[in-house]
Amino acid sequence: MEDHEKYMQVALQYAANSLEKGEFPVGCVIVLNDRIVSASGRIHTGGNVTEMDHTEIVALRNLLEKKEEGQMLSDVTVYSTMEPCLMCFSTLILNGVRKIVYGYEDVMGGGTNLSLKELNPLYNTMQVEIVKGVCRNQSLKLFQEFFKRPDNLYWKDSLLAQYTLQQELKK
C-alpha cells in the first residue's frame, strides 16, 4: 500500500534542511518497493552550480550511479515538495519514471501539465501518473518562508514568488 504522506514527510525534511542553509526549499525522495533508494535537497556548497542541478536531477543521478541490476525506473515513485519543472519532468520520464508525487504547484515553470499525447512518438505513448497536492500546506509554508527572506534574490519578484506569498495556509 502506498503512503504518499510518509515519503513526502521525508522530502519535506530535505527541503527544510535546504531552507536552513538559505537554499530554495525543494526536497526529493525516490522510492522503490517501499524503500527510499535516493534523496536530495537543494543545498549548494559552492563550485559550479547551475540551474541543471535541480533536486530531482540530483536524486535521479544518485540513483542511476548505484542502480542495481534489473532495477526498473518505471517501478519507482518520485516525491518532490514542488512540482517538477519542465526540465526535471522530461528528464524523469525519459529515464523511465512513470509516477511522480508532488506537494506544491509551480505556477511559473511546472512541467507536469505538459500534454505528452500532443508530442512526437517518443513521448506520446508514455503513461505517467501524477499525484499533486500531497502535504501541500507544509510545502507552501517552506516556500513562503523562503520568499519572505529579505536577503533572498532567487526568483524574488517572479510570478512564483508573488503567487506563493498570496496563498493562504489551510488550517
Side-chain angles (χ1 to χ4, degrees), residues 1-2 4 7 29-38 60 63-64 67-79 92-101 127-129:
M1 179 172 167
E2 295 174 325
H4 295 321
Y7 294 114
V29 297
I30 302 177
V31 174
L32 174 66
N33 298 327
D34 243 359
R35 181 173 58 98
I36 295 173
V37 293
S38 186
L60 179 63
L63 176 61
L64 293 174
K67 185 178 165 198
E68 300 168 7
E69 188 173 327
Q71 185 178 28
M72 301 294 295
L73 289 183
S74 59
D75 295 332
V76 305
T77 301
V78 172
Y79 291 86
L92 290 168
I93 65 172
L94 280 173
N95 278 278
V97 173
R98 294 296 178 261
K99 188 166 191 175
I100 299 168
V101 179
Q127 300 294 315
V128 181
E129 181 181 349

Side-chain angles (χ1 to χ4, degrees), residues 1-167:
M1 179 172 167
E2 295 174 325
D3 190 349
H4 295 321
E5 288 188 19
K6 170 182 158 184
Y7 294 114
M8 189 61 76
Q9 289 300 321
V10 178
L12 282 161
Q13 188 56 56
Y14 276 88
N17 292 343
S18 295
L19 183 62
E20 285 176 19
K21 304 282 193 231
E23 290 288 343
F24 198 55
V26 179
C28 176
V29 297
I30 302 177
V31 174
L32 174 66
N33 298 327
D34 243 359
R35 181 173 58 98
I36 295 173
V37 293
S38 186
S40 178
R42 190 172 167 116
I43 298 177
H44 298 149
T45 56
N48 191 16
V49 177
T50 71
E51 280 297 323
M52 293 184 290
D53 298 308
H54 285 196
T55 302
E56 298 91 343
I57 302 295
V58 173
L60 179 63
R61 246 189 227 127
N62 292 342
L63 176 61
L64 293 174
E65 287 174 4
K66 62 182 181 184
K67 185 178 165 198
E68 300 168 7
E69 188 173 327
Q71 185 178 28
M72 301 294 295
L73 289 183
S74 59
D75 295 332
V76 305
T77 301
V78 172
Y79 291 86
S80 183
T81 57
M82 176 172 264
E83 176 184 5
C85 71
L86 185 57
M87 173 186 69
C88 293
F89 179 64
S90 60
T91 300
L92 290 168
I93 65 172
L94 280 173
N95 278 278
V97 173
R98 294 296 178 261
K99 188 166 191 175
I100 299 168
V101 179
Y102 69 84
Y104 183 60
E105 64 275 10
D106 181 351
V107 298
M108 186 172 77
T112 64
N113 287 327
L114 179 66
S115 175
L116 298 175
K117 296 205 180 308
E118 303 295 320
L119 299 178
N120 292 326
L122 176 64
Y123 303 95
N124 66 20
T125 59
M126 290 182 181
Q127 300 294 315
V128 181
E129 181 181 349
I130 307 294
V131 179
K132 57 186 175 179
V134 175
C135 300
R136 181 188 184 273
N137 215 42
Q138 291 171 276
S139 294
L140 171 60
K141 185 176 179 184
L142 292 174
F143 290 108
Q144 286 179 334
E145 287 179 38
F146 177 78
F147 285 123
K148 286 178 183 175
R149 291 184 172 183
D151 60 338
N152 167 48
L153 299 177
Y154 187 74
W155 295 116
K156 181 181 179 176
D157 294 320
S158 66
L159 171 63
L160 178 61
Q162 293 167 14
Y163 175 82
T164 299
L165 292 172
Q166 292 171 357
Q167 297 297 300

